Structure formats: C-alpha cells, structure tokens
Amino acid sequence: RMDRSSRSSRSRMGRGGAWALAPLALLLACCACLAQGARAAAGGQAVTVASLAREVDLTTQSLIVASVLKLENAGAAPLSSFTYCASEIIRGRDILWIEFDEGESGADNAGKTTKLSWTLDENECMAVELASPLTKKEGQRTVEIYEVFAMNFENVPAQIYQSEKQVVAFSDFDVVVRSPAHLAIAEQKTTLYLPSSNADHFTKVKPTKKAGAEIKYGPYAAGSEPEPSDANIVVVVEYPEALLSIEKVTREMTISSWSDIEVQEHYHLKNVGPSFKDGFSRVEYSRNPLRYVLDDFVLSVPPMAHSFFFIDVLGNITTAKLRYESDKVEVEAEPRFPIVPGWQTHFTFGYKLPKEGFVGDTAASGGKKFVIGALPALAVNVKNLTVNVAVPEFSTNLGGSSSFPFRRSKTAIGVKKWYMDIFSRPMWTLELQEVSAEAEVVVEVEWQEPAMLHLKEPAMVAAALTVLAFLALVYSASDFTLKGKVKTS
C-alpha cells in the first residue's frame, strides 16, 4: 500500500515535494516493518497450513481430535511460534486437554516427535513455540495436535428394552475448520472413527466415504468448502460399551513421617446410558449378557503400590484380582451388582505407596515436596474431582499447585484428623471440574517439617508401652482378692 501511495504522490507532486516527504515515508516504512516483526514474534501473523488432516475418535466418552498440520512459512523472517485457538477450530465445546508435538509419530507411534511448550491467554488461545525456527527455505514442518473436548452423546431413544441395542447420537460438529484467525488452511480433511460399524444415520457431505467404522470427509480446498449448514453433521450409531461417568471422586492422600503414604479414593460411579423400560432382569442378563451393562472394571495404580482394599457401603468386596506389570498394577474389580444404564454405585478403593519416588527434599526451602498424578485409578471422565493431601502434624508453610492448564480449578487449605494425631494435620485441597481420563494432571505439594517431627509417633508408642508396663506393675503389686463375711457361731 505504501508503494502505491508513493507512486500516486509523485504523479501529483513535483520532484521537490517528493524529496521533502522522503524522510517521513522512510520513518513510516520502518515503523510498519517493526510492527510486522513484533506480530510475527508474538504469533499474531496468519501461518500457512498446506494441509490439515483431522482424526476424530468417537469410541470413548470424550471427543478426541488428533490433527496433523503441515506448516509453511510464507514470510521472510523465520517463524518461531504460532497461535492456535481451539475454540475456533471446534466451536461450542469445552476443551479438557491439549498437547502439541513436532514431527511425525506415524501410524504405530514409532516416529520421533518433540513435545512443544505453549502458554494460554485469556481467550483460551495457545501460543505454541516451535522446537526451532521455521525458515522459508526449509519448506514444511509437521505439527501434531492432540485435543480432548467434552462429549455430548445423546441416548436415542432415552429408554430401551433390555433386549435392544444401545444407540447414541453425535451432533453439532462441523467437519470443516472455517477461517481461524491465525491459520490460513489450504486443504483439509476429516476422518471419524465410530464405536461400531452399525451406523443408522450419518450426514453425507460431498465427498464422503464410509468403510466399516470409519467415515471420511474431504479433502476440501480453500474457497471450495461446503456451507456450514451442510457440513454440520449428525451421526447415529450403536455404542456397544457402557457409558460411564464418575459423578464425583475424592482422592485422600495422607503422608506420615514414619510410614507409607495412605491413598483412598471414594467414587460415585454412574452408567449414563438409556434406562430400561421394564426394569432389569438378572435371568435375562444371564442368558443374554450385554456389553453396555458394567459388571467389572479395571483400576490402574503405580507398580510399587501394595495393601489394596475395595469396599462399599455393605463392607469388603473380595471379587477383585491383581495383575502386576512392569509399569503399573491393574486391579480387576467386580461391583456387588451389575451397573445397568441409569444405575449408580458408591465404593472406596485404597492402597499404600512408599515415600521413595513421591516425597523428596526441596533444595530451595529445605522442606519436603510431594509429587503425584491427580487423576484417579479408574480411567473414566470425572465431573467433580477433589484431591486432598494431608501432611504430617505440626507441619508449616503448606502450599501446592497443579499442572491443569485451564481455569476450572480451586485450591484451599484445611485440616484432617488421622491416626495418632494429637490435634490435627494440615491438608491441601484441589478441586477440578470436567476432567478427561486422557489428561495428564500432576499435583505438587510443599511443606516444612520440624526437625524432631519424625520422633513423634515412636515417642507416642513408647509412652503407651510405658503406661501399660506401669499398669501391669501396679496390678501385680496389688491385692484384689475378694473376701466374704465370716459367720460367727
């Protein structure tokens, strides 16, 4: 624009007027170049995406989208970062988790990738830093994005007979990414992975191809995308597995100065599938088992866990099996009764962890630090998650943080009464809402311990033994013989 305006000015003015405005034009040009460079460094410029391939997984109860972007640098300056707004890519859904990787993982995840760092702004847009600047001469760079969104499966119909299949509807999803502010997409395609091949209905958007449990939409070139009213799809498909939701789970972790870490998880688990019209028949279920009726589940814990227990409101549940693996321990548990669609249950799962590997010293403050994953052992989406970390009694300067990047969290400091506590111990609390089982959330808690704190429990045991010994001595030295009255003649 400045070049055109300069030519028009020279055509209207004489040579002397052009020379008089030359310093001003040069100053404006420098300012424009600086502003453009600042926008490029901040990720504000639109980045060219040569191709976008999205894979949408509908086999879980979260909407999982894996995208592969081929980035190109159309500018002269090297591209070190770009801006990605998940709310513009998939509209109308809450994002639960996101990861960025540079490189190609391949179909079997055998490729080499580098995890990219990113920051979140007030609009929930991510400023993503590339592993190294992308130059115009280099050509293309592959970036893989792994996103998890809230799912909105709708039971179709809301009630079924026990002999019928479970059908859900997936809607309000645009198979076309439309003009995001920071990405210029040249070509794109979308592939849906269904929970089964039995699709009663799916929206056809040319070109569309269905093969088994896959539906492919596209490719669509820039400027030839279908209209939003045509590309907003609806899929009605059989969902053969149980539709589970953890309505609430509270993770209680208690750290003692001389024993292992106690972990207790209190669950409120619900099957949110379509309820049965005529109730549940165990006789019919024994003849015709249904996969969407939950009769067992698997809980995964760290490989060093031990001392497991599994109880509900009626007492201990012994129908559980342990399977030890190199990186985890899996507990195959059976609830006391099958969880049919519309039913729910409450239970507690507990175990112990050694402090080695979880509790360490902080070099900066000289205190203690506890690091552990925040998600429960049962890999199901959680509506309300509470994490309570109780540290040894008389500890001070308690504080904590989590790696949950989004703003649906709350922390607090309280107290907890535990075994052999004289008064109560400090407790740090984290509350999260709408947490996906695919997320990787880590909590870190720090505190200060008195130098002689580790002697408290042994001193209490020694005091109790001393009191018992004193009572035994008093008993042995005393005469408690009962004497009756002597009759006189």
Side-chain angles (χ1 to χ4, degrees), residues 110-121:
K112 184 178 181 180
T113 60
T114 302
K115 182 167 289 188
L116 302 180
S117 61
W118 56 274
T119 56
L120 188 69
D121 64 13

Side-chain angles (χ1 to χ4, degrees), residues 99-377:
E99 292 180 4
F100 297 87
D101 295 286
E102 187 174 307
E104 297 187 17
S105 59
D108 54 354
N109 294 323
K112 184 178 181 180
T113 60
T114 302
K115 182 167 289 188
L116 302 180
S117 61
W118 56 274
T119 56
L120 188 69
D121 64 13
E122 63 277 1
N123 298 320
E124 289 200 352
C125 291
M126 298 81 183
V128 186
E129 296 288 336
L130 295 176
S132 61
L134 173 62
T135 62
K136 186 176 182 179
K137 183 179 180 181
E138 181 181 347
Q140 295 182 353
R141 185 82 63 83
T142 301
V143 173
E144 297 182 347
I145 305 176
Y146 183 81
E147 302 168 269
V148 182
F149 294 87
M151 182 64 82
N152 65 337
F153 278 148
E154 180 183 356
N155 297 321
V156 182
Q159 287 187 326
I160 60 175
Y161 290 102
Q162 185 172 337
S163 58
E164 293 180 321
K165 63 182 181 180
Q166 179 177 258
V167 179
V168 297
F170 172 71
S171 60
D172 297 330
F173 184 83
D174 196 337
V175 295
V176 177
V177 177
R178 302 186 183 277
S179 62
H182 304 279
L183 299 175
I185 303 174
E187 185 181 79
Q188 58 179 298
K189 60 182 179 180
T190 301
T191 302
L192 269 62
Y193 294 96
L194 308 180
S196 70
S197 58
N198 299 326
D200 296 341
H201 167 78
F202 66 94
T203 305
K204 297 180 176 62
V205 185
K206 294 184 179 180
T208 302
K209 180 181 179 181
K210 182 181 184 300
E214 295 184 13
I215 304 177
K216 295 183 179 181
Y217 293 94
Y220 306 110
S224 62
E225 302 94 342
E227 294 295 327
S229 58
D230 298 329
N232 199 8
I233 64 170
V234 176
V235 179
V236 180
V237 63
E238 179 186 1
Y239 199 101
E241 304 294 335
L243 288 166
L244 301 179
S245 172
I246 298 179
E247 301 294 304
K248 184 178 181 180
V249 58
T250 301
R251 298 194 71 204
E252 303 274 357
M253 288 172 279
T254 306
I255 304 172
S256 298
S257 57
W258 68 310
S259 63
D260 290 339
I261 303 170
E262 297 266 358
V263 181
Q264 294 185 11
E265 299 179 351
H266 309 281
Y267 288 88
H268 176 195
L269 181 65
K270 185 176 182 180
N271 190 331
V272 295
S275 58
F276 291 160
K277 291 182 179 180
D278 295 336
F280 174 66
S281 171
R282 287 183 178 269
V283 176
E284 175 66 21
Y285 180 69
S286 62
R287 290 199 301 258
N288 183 24
L290 302 169
R291 292 166 57 187
Y292 59 80
V293 174
L294 180 68
D295 52 12
D296 61 1
F297 48 83
V298 177
L299 305 106
S300 298
V301 296
M304 66 287 296
H306 62 93
S307 303
F308 301 94
F309 67 89
F310 182 37
I311 60 175
D312 62 4
V313 293
L314 299 179
N316 187 38
I317 300 177
T318 58
T319 53
K321 301 177 182 178
L322 296 179
R323 183 169 64 247
Y324 291 89
E325 299 183 6
S326 59
D327 59 340
K328 61 184 175 180
V329 177
E330 290 189 344
V331 181
E332 299 179 0
E334 297 182 8
R336 198 175 293 274
F337 52 86
I339 312 301
V340 305
W343 287 15
Q344 56 190 340
T345 184
H346 297 77
F347 64 90
T348 297
F349 172 65
Y351 54 95
K352 292 184 180 181
L353 292 172
K355 288 191 290 186
E356 292 78 9
F358 297 95
V359 178
D361 298 327
T362 56
S365 61
K368 297 290 185 180
K369 179 173 65 175
F370 174 63
V371 181
I372 197 171
L375 299 189

